[in-house]
Amino acid sequence: MRKPLIAANWKMYKTPKESLAFLSEFLPEVKDHTASEIAIFPTMSSLGYVIEATKGTNVTAGAQTMHWLNEGPYTGQTSPTMLESIGCTRVLLGHSERRIYAHETDDMVNLKLKAALEHDLVPVVCVGETQEKRESGLTEAVLRWQIACALNGIAGSLCSQMVIAYEPVWAIGTGSVATPEQANDAHAIIRREVAVHLGEACASRMRILYGGSVKPDNVASLMTQPEIDGALVGGASLKAKSFAEIVQNASA
Ligand code: 13P
């Protein structure tokens, strides 16, 4: 019922030239793939190039962040209308690296989510607990809080395209992937909280991706879990072969 989404978050890697070199290897590898949607989130300076190079293919591209306003004196920021103007259709919101290093708050994630929905940008809202919170038994509290804040004031009717990514901070870039059961449990908590705010129908349609040390050899076992609807991949998405294998293994 929920078509998987396999997404690459390139973080602060790849110049336009490197991005295009990746695509020339990656696109032929996945051109017949229909089992899941494929998305790439390049850095802002490469985004326009990736959008152009993926036109007419089965791969779409999105931004790693954006501001919630359309314009203003906000040095360094990019607005929803600016993303729309270059044909961008997706945006990541509230990644833990934005929360930690750019001090993005839950309220800002909420404003960004509202702006994304208004502009028909498909949002991927990232949530996840730190190691410390998990060890203190606070995983459920953190996830419910982050989801409740992100969805505050959002109408269920707007949620048809929305995606959530569960990215436990302790699993990002560490090589310690969550077990399929740990991830499945967290996704179930997230889906229940989505149902509280947006209704059961919306929650059951919503795709929830897992992110954190996803690799070609662990994606299949994660994808066997009923609550896991795809993956958001960092390090292992930087090489065309590796990301193509992840796409293929996810639906093997
Ligand atoms: P890694 O796959 O490198 O752990 O990164 C995950 C991530 O942050 C994706 O957004």
Coordinates of all heavy atoms in Angstrom, one line a residue, residues 85-175:
S85 N 11.1 27.6 -7.9 CA 11.5 28.2 -9.2 C 12.6 27.4 -10.0 O 12.7 27.6 -11.2 CB 12.0 29.6 -9.0 OG 13.3 29.6 -8.4
I86 N 13.3 26.5 -9.3 CA 14.3 25.7 -10.0 C 13.8 24.3 -10.3 O 14.5 23.4 -10.6 CB 15.7 25.7 -9.4 CG1 15.6 25.1 -7.9 CG2 16.3 27.1 -9.4 CD1 17.0 24.8 -7.4
G87 N 12.5 24.1 -10.0 CA 11.9 22.8 -10.3 C 12.1 21.8 -9.2 O 11.9 20.6 -9.4
C88 N 12.4 22.3 -8.0 CA 12.6 21.4 -6.8 C 11.3 20.9 -6.3 O 10.3 21.7 -6.2 CB 13.3 22.1 -5.7 SG 13.6 21.2 -4.3
T89 N 11.2 19.6 -6.0 CA 9.9 19.1 -5.6 C 9.9 18.5 -4.2 O 8.8 18.0 -3.7 CB 9.4 17.9 -6.5 OG1 10.5 17.0 -6.6 CG2 9.1 18.5 -7.9
R90 N 11.1 18.4 -3.6 CA 11.2 17.8 -2.2 C 12.1 18.6 -1.3 O 12.9 19.3 -1.8 CB 11.8 16.4 -2.3 CG 11.0 15.4 -3.2 CD 11.8 14.0 -3.2 NE 11.2 13.1 -4.1 CZ 10.2 12.2 -3.6 NH1 9.8 12.2 -2.4 NH2 9.7 11.3 -4.5
V91 N 11.9 18.4 0.0 CA 12.8 19.1 0.9 C 12.9 18.3 2.2 O 11.9 17.7 2.7 CB 12.3 20.5 1.2 CG1 11.0 20.6 1.9 CG2 13.4 21.3 2.0
L92 N 14.1 18.1 2.7 CA 14.4 17.5 4.0 C 14.2 18.6 5.1 O 14.6 19.7 4.9 CB 15.8 17.0 4.2 CG 16.4 15.9 3.4 CD1 17.8 15.6 3.8 CD2 15.5 14.6 3.6
L93 N 13.5 18.2 6.2 CA 13.3 19.2 7.2 C 13.7 18.6 8.6 O 13.4 17.5 8.9 CB 11.8 19.6 7.3 CG 11.3 20.3 6.0 CD1 9.8 20.6 6.2 CD2 12.0 21.6 5.7
G94 N 14.4 19.4 9.4 CA 14.7 19.0 10.8 C 15.7 17.9 10.9 O 15.7 17.1 11.9
H95 N 16.6 17.7 9.9 CA 17.6 16.7 10.1 C 18.4 17.0 11.4 O 18.6 18.1 11.7 CB 18.6 16.7 8.9 CG 19.5 15.5 8.9 ND1 20.6 15.4 9.7 CD2 19.5 14.4 8.1 CE1 21.2 14.3 9.5 NE2 20.5 13.6 8.5
S96 N 18.9 16.0 12.1 CA 19.5 16.2 13.4 C 20.8 17.0 13.2 O 21.2 17.8 14.1 CB 19.8 14.9 14.1 OG 20.7 14.1 13.3
E97 N 21.4 16.9 12.1 CA 22.6 17.8 11.9 C 22.2 19.3 11.8 O 23.0 20.1 12.1 CB 23.4 17.3 10.6 CG 24.1 16.0 10.9 CD 24.4 15.1 9.7 OE1 24.3 15.6 8.6 OE2 24.8 14.0 9.9
R98 N 21.0 19.6 11.3 CA 20.5 20.9 11.3 C 20.1 21.3 12.7 O 20.3 22.5 13.1 CB 19.3 21.1 10.4 CG 19.5 20.7 8.9 CD 20.2 21.8 8.1 NE 19.8 23.1 8.4 CZ 20.5 24.2 8.1 NH1 21.7 24.1 7.6 NH2 20.0 25.4 8.4
R99 N 19.5 20.4 13.4 CA 19.1 20.7 14.8 C 20.3 21.0 15.6 O 20.3 21.9 16.5 CB 18.3 19.6 15.4 CG 16.9 19.3 14.6 CD 16.2 18.1 15.3 NE 15.0 17.7 14.5 CZ 13.7 17.9 14.9 NH1 13.5 18.6 16.0 NH2 12.8 17.4 14.2
I100 N 21.4 20.2 15.5 CA 22.5 20.3 16.3 C 23.4 21.5 15.9 O 23.8 22.3 16.7 CB 23.4 19.0 16.3 CG1 22.5 17.8 16.9 CG2 24.7 19.1 17.1 CD1 23.1 16.4 16.7
Y101 N 23.8 21.5 14.6 CA 24.8 22.5 14.2 C 24.2 23.8 13.8 O 24.9 24.9 13.8 CB 25.7 22.0 13.1 CG 26.3 20.6 13.4 CD1 26.1 19.5 12.7 CD2 27.2 20.6 14.5 CE1 26.7 18.3 13.0 CE2 27.8 19.3 14.8 CZ 27.5 18.2 14.1 OH 28.1 17.0 14.4
A102 N 22.9 23.9 13.4 CA 22.3 25.1 12.9 C 21.3 25.6 13.9 O 20.5 26.5 13.6 CB 21.8 25.0 11.5
H103 N 21.2 24.8 15.0 CA 20.2 25.2 16.1 C 18.8 25.3 15.7 O 18.1 26.2 16.1 CB 20.7 26.5 16.8 CG 22.1 26.5 17.2 ND1 22.6 25.6 18.2 CD2 23.2 27.1 16.7 CE1 23.9 25.7 18.3 NE2 24.3 26.6 17.4
E104 N 18.4 24.4 14.8 CA 17.0 24.4 14.4 C 16.2 23.8 15.5 O 16.4 22.8 16.0 CB 16.9 23.5 13.1 CG 16.6 24.3 11.9 CD 16.4 23.5 10.6 OE1 15.8 22.4 10.7 OE2 17.1 23.8 9.6
T105 N 15.1 24.6 15.8 CA 14.2 24.1 16.9 C 13.0 23.4 16.3 O 12.7 23.5 15.1 CB 13.7 25.3 17.7 OG1 12.9 26.1 16.8 CG2 14.9 26.2 18.2
D106 N 12.3 22.8 17.3 CA 11.0 22.1 16.9 C 10.0 23.1 16.2 O 9.3 22.8 15.3 CB 10.4 21.4 18.1 CG 11.1 20.2 18.5 OD1 11.4 19.3 17.6 OD2 11.4 20.0 19.7
D107 N 10.0 24.3 16.8 CA 9.1 25.4 16.2 C 9.5 25.7 14.8 O 8.6 26.0 14.0 CB 9.1 26.6 17.1 CG 8.4 26.4 18.4 OD1 7.7 25.4 18.6 OD2 8.6 27.2 19.4
M108 N 10.8 25.8 14.6 CA 11.2 26.1 13.2 C 10.9 25.0 12.2 O 10.4 25.2 11.1 CB 12.7 26.4 13.2 CG 13.1 27.7 13.8 SD 14.8 27.7 14.5 CE 15.7 28.1 13.0
V109 N 11.0 23.8 12.7 CA 10.6 22.6 11.8 C 9.2 22.7 11.5 O 8.7 22.5 10.4 CB 11.0 21.3 12.5 CG1 10.5 20.1 11.7 CG2 12.5 21.2 12.8
N110 N 8.3 23.1 12.5 CA 6.9 23.2 12.2 C 6.6 24.3 11.2 O 5.8 24.1 10.3 CB 6.2 23.6 13.6 CG 4.7 23.8 13.5 OD1 4.3 24.9 13.7 ND2 4.0 22.8 13.1
L111 N 7.3 25.5 11.3 CA 7.1 26.6 10.3 C 7.5 26.1 8.9 O 6.8 26.4 7.9 CB 7.9 27.8 10.7 CG 7.4 28.6 12.0 CD1 8.4 29.6 12.4 CD2 6.0 29.2 11.7
K112 N 8.6 25.4 8.9 CA 9.1 24.9 7.6 C 8.2 23.9 7.0 O 7.9 23.9 5.8 CB 10.5 24.3 7.8 CG 11.6 25.3 8.1 CD 12.9 24.7 8.4 CE 13.9 25.8 8.8 NZ 15.3 25.5 8.3
L113 N 7.6 23.0 7.8 CA 6.7 22.0 7.3 C 5.5 22.7 6.7 O 5.0 22.3 5.6 CB 6.3 21.0 8.5 CG 5.4 19.9 8.1 CD1 5.8 19.1 6.9 CD2 5.1 19.0 9.3
K114 N 4.9 23.7 7.4 CA 3.8 24.4 6.9 C 4.1 25.0 5.6 O 3.3 25.0 4.6 CB 3.3 25.5 7.9 CG 2.6 24.8 9.1 CD 2.2 25.9 10.1 CE 1.5 25.3 11.3 NZ 1.7 26.1 12.6
A115 N 5.3 25.7 5.5 CA 5.6 26.3 4.2 C 5.8 25.3 3.1 O 5.4 25.5 2.0 CB 6.9 27.1 4.4
A116 N 6.4 24.2 3.4 CA 6.6 23.2 2.4 C 5.3 22.7 1.8 O 5.1 22.6 0.6 CB 7.4 22.0 3.0
L117 N 4.3 22.4 2.7 CA 3.0 21.9 2.3 C 2.3 23.0 1.4 O 1.7 22.6 0.4 CB 2.2 21.5 3.5 CG 2.8 20.3 4.3 CD1 2.0 20.1 5.6 CD2 2.8 19.0 3.4
E118 N 2.4 24.2 1.9 CA 1.8 25.3 1.1 C 2.4 25.4 -0.3 O 1.7 25.8 -1.3 CB 2.1 26.7 1.7 CG 1.0 27.2 2.6 CD 1.4 28.3 3.5 OE1 2.2 29.2 2.9 OE2 1.1 28.4 4.6
H119 N 3.6 25.1 -0.5 CA 4.3 25.2 -1.8 C 4.4 23.9 -2.5 O 5.1 23.8 -3.5 CB 5.7 25.8 -1.6 CG 5.7 27.2 -1.2 ND1 5.6 28.3 -2.1 CD2 5.6 27.8 0.0 CE1 5.6 29.4 -1.5 NE2 5.5 29.2 -0.2
D120 N 3.7 22.9 -2.1 CA 3.7 21.6 -2.7 C 5.1 21.0 -2.8 O 5.4 20.3 -3.8 CB 3.1 21.7 -4.2 CG 1.6 21.8 -4.1 OD1 1.0 21.3 -3.1 OD2 1.0 22.5 -5.0
L121 N 5.9 21.3 -1.9 CA 7.2 20.6 -1.8 C 7.0 19.4 -0.9 O 6.5 19.5 0.2 CB 8.2 21.5 -1.1 CG 8.7 22.7 -2.0 CD1 9.3 23.8 -1.1 CD2 9.7 22.2 -3.1
V122 N 7.3 18.2 -1.3 CA 7.1 17.0 -0.5 C 8.1 17.0 0.6 O 9.3 16.9 0.4 CB 7.3 15.7 -1.3 CG1 7.2 14.5 -0.4 CG2 6.2 15.7 -2.4
P123 N 7.7 17.1 1.9 CA 8.6 17.2 3.0 C 9.0 15.8 3.5 O 8.2 14.9 3.5 CB 7.8 18.0 4.0 CG 6.4 17.7 3.7 CD 6.3 17.3 2.3
V124 N 10.3 15.7 3.9 CA 10.7 14.6 4.7 C 11.1 15.1 6.0 O 12.2 15.7 6.2 CB 11.9 13.8 4.0 CG1 12.3 12.6 4.9 CG2 11.6 13.4 2.6
V125 N 10.3 14.9 7.0 CA 10.6 15.5 8.4 C 11.4 14.4 9.2 O 10.9 13.3 9.3 CB 9.2 15.7 9.1 CG1 9.5 16.3 10.5 CG2 8.4 16.7 8.3
C126 N 12.6 14.9 9.6 CA 13.5 13.9 10.3 C 13.3 14.1 11.9 O 13.3 15.2 12.4 CB 14.9 14.2 10.0 SG 15.2 14.2 8.2
V127 N 13.2 12.9 12.5 CA 13.1 12.9 14.0 C 14.1 11.8 14.5 O 14.4 10.9 13.7 CB 11.7 12.6 14.5 CG1 10.8 13.8 14.1 CG2 11.1 11.3 14.0
G128 N 14.4 11.8 15.7 CA 15.2 10.7 16.3 C 15.9 11.1 17.6 O 16.1 12.3 17.8
E129 N 16.1 10.1 18.4 CA 16.6 10.4 19.8 C 18.1 10.2 19.8 O 18.7 9.5 18.9 CB 16.0 9.4 20.8 CG 16.6 8.0 20.8 CD 16.2 7.1 19.6 OE1 15.5 7.6 18.7 OE2 16.7 6.0 19.5
T130 N 18.8 10.9 20.8 CA 20.2 10.7 21.0 C 20.4 9.4 21.8 O 19.5 8.8 22.3 CB 20.8 11.8 21.8 OG1 20.1 11.9 23.1 CG2 20.6 13.2 21.1
Q131 N 21.7 9.0 21.8 CA 22.1 7.8 22.6 C 21.7 8.0 24.1 O 21.1 7.1 24.7 CB 23.6 7.7 22.5 CG 24.2 6.6 23.3 CD 24.3 5.3 22.6 OE1 24.6 5.3 21.4 NE2 24.0 4.2 23.3
E132 N 21.9 9.2 24.6 CA 21.7 9.5 26.0 C 20.2 9.3 26.3 O 19.8 8.7 27.3 CB 22.1 10.9 26.2 CG 22.1 11.4 27.7 CD 22.2 12.9 27.8 OE1 22.3 13.6 26.8 OE2 22.0 13.3 28.9
K133 N 19.3 9.9 25.4 CA 17.9 9.7 25.6 C 17.5 8.3 25.6 O 16.6 7.8 26.3 CB 17.1 10.6 24.6 CG 17.3 12.1 24.7 CD 16.6 12.7 25.9 CE 16.5 14.2 25.9 NZ 17.3 14.9 26.9
R134 N 18.0 7.5 24.6 CA 17.7 6.1 24.5 C 18.0 5.4 25.8 O 17.3 4.6 26.4 CB 18.3 5.5 23.3 CG 18.1 4.0 23.2 CD 18.4 3.4 21.8 NE 17.3 3.7 20.9 CZ 16.3 2.8 20.6 NH1 16.2 1.6 21.2 NH2 15.3 3.1 19.7
E135 N 19.3 5.7 26.3 CA 19.7 5.0 27.5 C 18.9 5.4 28.7 O 18.8 4.6 29.7 CB 21.2 5.2 27.7 CG 22.1 4.4 26.8 CD 23.5 4.8 26.7 OE1 23.9 5.7 27.5 OE2 24.3 4.2 25.9
S136 N 18.3 6.6 28.7 CA 17.5 7.0 29.8 C 16.0 6.5 29.6 O 15.2 7.0 30.4 CB 17.5 8.5 29.9 OG 18.8 9.0 29.9
G137 N 15.8 5.7 28.6 CA 14.4 5.2 28.4 C 13.5 6.3 27.9 O 12.2 6.2 28.0
L138 N 14.0 7.3 27.2 CA 13.2 8.4 26.7 C 12.9 8.4 25.2 O 12.4 9.4 24.7 CB 13.8 9.7 27.2 CG 13.8 10.0 28.7 CD1 14.7 11.2 29.0 CD2 12.4 10.2 29.2
T139 N 13.2 7.3 24.6 CA 13.0 7.3 23.1 C 11.6 7.7 22.7 O 11.4 8.5 21.9 CB 13.4 5.9 22.6 OG1 14.8 5.6 22.9 CG2 13.2 5.8 21.0
E140 N 10.6 7.0 23.3 CA 9.2 7.3 22.9 C 8.8 8.7 23.2 O 8.2 9.3 22.4 CB 8.3 6.3 23.7 CG 6.8 6.7 23.5 CD 5.8 5.5 23.7 OE1 6.3 4.4 24.2 OE2 4.6 5.8 23.5
A141 N 9.3 9.2 24.4 CA 8.9 10.6 24.7 C 9.5 11.6 23.7 O 8.8 12.5 23.3 CB 9.4 10.9 26.1
V142 N 10.8 11.4 23.3 CA 11.4 12.3 22.3 C 10.7 12.2 21.0 O 10.4 13.3 20.4 CB 12.9 11.9 22.2 CG1 13.5 12.6 21.0 CG2 13.7 12.2 23.4
L143 N 10.4 11.0 20.5 CA 9.8 10.9 19.2 C 8.4 11.5 19.2 O 8.0 12.2 18.3 CB 9.7 9.4 18.8 CG 11.1 8.7 18.6 CD1 10.9 7.2 18.2 CD2 11.9 9.4 17.5
R144 N 7.6 11.2 20.3 CA 6.3 11.8 20.3 C 6.3 13.3 20.4 O 5.5 14.0 19.7 CB 5.5 11.2 21.5 CG 5.2 9.7 21.3 CD 4.4 9.1 22.4 NE 3.1 9.8 22.5 CZ 2.3 9.7 23.5 NH1 2.6 8.8 24.5 NH2 1.1 10.3 23.5
W145 N 7.2 13.8 21.1 CA 7.4 15.3 21.2 C 7.8 15.9 19.9 O 7.2 16.9 19.5 CB 8.4 15.6 22.3 CG 8.7 17.1 22.4 CD1 9.8 17.8 21.9 CD2 7.9 18.1 23.0 NE1 9.7 19.1 22.2 CE2 8.5 19.3 22.9 CE3 6.6 18.1 23.7 CZ2 8.0 20.5 23.3 CZ3 6.1 19.3 24.1 CH2 6.7 20.5 23.9
Q146 N 8.8 15.3 19.2 CA 9.2 15.9 18.0 C 8.1 15.9 16.9 O 7.9 16.8 16.2 CB 10.5 15.2 17.5 CG 11.7 15.5 18.3 CD 12.9 14.8 17.8 OE1 12.8 13.7 17.2 NE2 14.1 15.3 18.1
I147 N 7.4 14.8 16.9 CA 6.3 14.6 15.9 C 5.1 15.6 16.3 O 4.6 16.3 15.4 CB 5.7 13.2 15.9 CG1 6.8 12.2 15.3 CG2 4.4 13.1 15.1 CD1 7.1 12.4 13.9
A148 N 4.8 15.7 17.6 CA 3.7 16.6 18.0 C 4.0 18.0 17.6 O 3.2 18.8 17.1 CB 3.4 16.5 19.5
C149 N 5.3 18.4 17.9 CA 5.7 19.8 17.5 C 5.7 20.0 16.0 O 5.2 21.1 15.6 CB 7.1 20.1 18.1 SG 7.2 20.1 19.9
A150 N 6.2 19.1 15.3 CA 6.3 19.3 13.8 C 4.9 19.4 13.2 O 4.7 20.2 12.3 CB 7.1 18.1 13.2
L151 N 3.9 18.6 13.8 CA 2.6 18.6 13.2 C 1.6 19.6 13.7 O 0.5 19.6 13.3 CB 2.0 17.1 13.3 CG 2.8 16.0 12.6 CD1 2.1 14.7 12.8 CD2 3.0 16.3 11.1
N152 N 2.1 20.3 14.7 CA 1.2 21.3 15.4 C 0.5 22.2 14.4 O 1.2 22.9 13.6 CB 2.0 22.1 16.4 CG 1.2 23.0 17.2 OD1 0.0 22.7 17.4 ND2 1.7 24.1 17.7
G153 N -0.8 22.2 14.3 CA -1.6 23.1 13.5 C -1.6 22.7 12.0 O -2.1 23.5 11.2
I154 N -1.2 21.5 11.7 CA -1.3 21.0 10.3 C -2.5 20.1 10.1 O -2.9 19.3 10.9 CB 0.0 20.2 10.0 CG1 1.1 21.3 9.9 CG2 -0.1 19.4 8.7 CD1 2.5 20.8 9.6
A155 N -3.2 20.4 9.0 CA -4.4 19.7 8.7 C -4.2 18.3 8.1 O -3.3 18.2 7.2 CB -5.3 20.5 7.8
G156 N -4.9 17.3 8.5 CA -4.7 16.0 8.0 C -4.9 15.9 6.5 O -4.3 15.1 5.8
S157 N -5.7 16.9 6.0 CA -6.0 16.9 4.5 C -4.7 17.2 3.7 O -4.7 16.9 2.5 CB -7.1 17.9 4.2 OG -6.7 19.1 4.7
L158 N -3.7 17.8 4.3 CA -2.5 18.2 3.6 C -1.4 17.1 3.6 O -0.4 17.3 3.1 CB -1.9 19.5 4.3 CG -2.7 20.8 4.0 CD1 -2.0 21.9 4.8 CD2 -2.6 21.1 2.5
C159 N -1.7 16.0 4.3 CA -0.6 15.1 4.6 C -0.4 14.0 3.5 O 0.5 13.2 3.7 CB -0.8 14.5 5.9 SG -2.0 13.2 5.8
S160 N -1.1 14.0 2.4 CA -1.0 12.9 1.6 C 0.4 12.6 1.1 O 0.8 11.4 0.9 CB -2.0 13.0 0.4 OG -1.5 14.1 -0.4
Q161 N 1.2 13.6 0.9 CA 2.5 13.4 0.4 C 3.6 13.3 1.5 O 4.8 13.0 1.2 CB 2.9 14.5 -0.6 CG 2.0 14.6 -1.8 CD 2.7 13.8 -2.9 OE1 3.1 12.6 -2.7 NE2 2.8 14.4 -4.1
M162 N 3.3 13.8 2.7 CA 4.3 14.0 3.7 C 5.0 12.7 4.0 O 4.4 11.6 4.0 CB 3.6 14.5 4.9 CG 4.6 15.0 6.0 SD 3.8 15.4 7.5 CE 2.5 16.4 7.1
V163 N 6.3 12.8 4.3 CA 7.1 11.6 4.6 C 7.8 12.0 6.0 O 8.1 13.1 6.2 CB 8.2 11.4 3.6 CG1 9.1 10.2 3.9 CG2 7.6 11.1 2.2
I164 N 8.0 10.9 6.8 CA 8.8 11.1 8.0 C 10.0 10.2 8.0 O 9.9 9.1 7.4 CB 7.9 10.8 9.3 CG1 6.9 11.9 9.4 CG2 8.8 10.7 10.5 CD1 5.9 11.7 10.5
A165 N 11.1 10.7 8.5 CA 12.3 9.8 8.5 C 12.7 9.6 10.0 O 12.9 10.6 10.7 CB 13.5 10.4 7.8
Y166 N 12.8 8.4 10.4 CA 13.3 8.1 11.8 C 14.8 7.9 11.7 O 15.3 7.0 11.0 CB 12.6 6.8 12.4 CG 13.3 6.4 13.6 CD1 13.4 7.2 14.7 CD2 13.9 5.1 13.7 CE1 14.1 6.8 15.9 CE2 14.6 4.7 14.9 CZ 14.6 5.5 15.9 OH 15.3 5.1 17.1
E167 N 15.5 8.9 12.3 CA 17.0 8.8 12.2 C 17.5 8.9 13.6 O 17.8 10.0 14.1 CB 17.5 10.0 11.3 CG 17.1 9.9 9.9 CD 18.1 10.4 9.0 OE1 18.8 11.5 9.3 OE2 18.4 9.8 7.9
P168 N 17.8 7.8 14.3 CA 18.3 7.9 15.6 C 19.7 8.5 15.5 O 20.5 8.0 14.7 CB 18.4 6.4 16.1 CG 18.2 5.6 14.8 CD 17.5 6.4 13.8
V169 N 20.0 9.5 16.3 CA 21.2 10.3 16.2 C 22.4 9.3 16.4 O 23.5 9.5 15.7 CB 21.2 11.4 17.2 CG1 22.5 12.2 17.2 CG2 20.1 12.4 16.9
W170 N 22.3 8.3 17.3 CA 23.4 7.4 17.6 C 23.7 6.5 16.4 O 24.8 5.8 16.4 CB 23.1 6.6 18.9 CG 21.7 6.0 18.9 CD1 20.6 6.5 19.3 CD2 21.3 4.7 18.3 NE1 19.5 5.7 19.2 CE2 20.0 4.5 18.6 CE3 22.0 3.7 17.7 CZ2 19.2 3.4 18.2 CZ3 21.3 2.5 17.3 CH2 20.0 2.4 17.6
A171 N 22.9 6.4 15.4 CA 23.1 5.5 14.3 C 23.7 6.3 13.1 O 24.1 5.6 12.1 CB 21.8 4.8 13.9
I172 N 23.7 7.6 13.2 CA 24.0 8.4 12.0 C 25.6 8.5 11.9 O 26.2 9.0 12.8 CB 23.4 9.8 12.0 CG1 21.9 9.7 12.0 CG2 24.0 10.7 10.9 CD1 21.2 11.1 12.1
G173 N 26.1 7.9 10.8 CA 27.5 8.0 10.5 C 28.4 7.2 11.5 O 29.6 7.4 11.5
T174 N 27.8 6.3 12.2 CA 28.5 5.6 13.2 C 28.8 4.2 12.9 O 29.6 3.5 13.5 CB 27.8 5.6 14.6 OG1 26.5 5.0 14.4 CG2 27.5 7.0 15.1
G175 N 28.1 3.7 11.9 CA 28.2 2.2 11.5 C 27.3 1.4 12.5 O 27.2 0.2 12.2

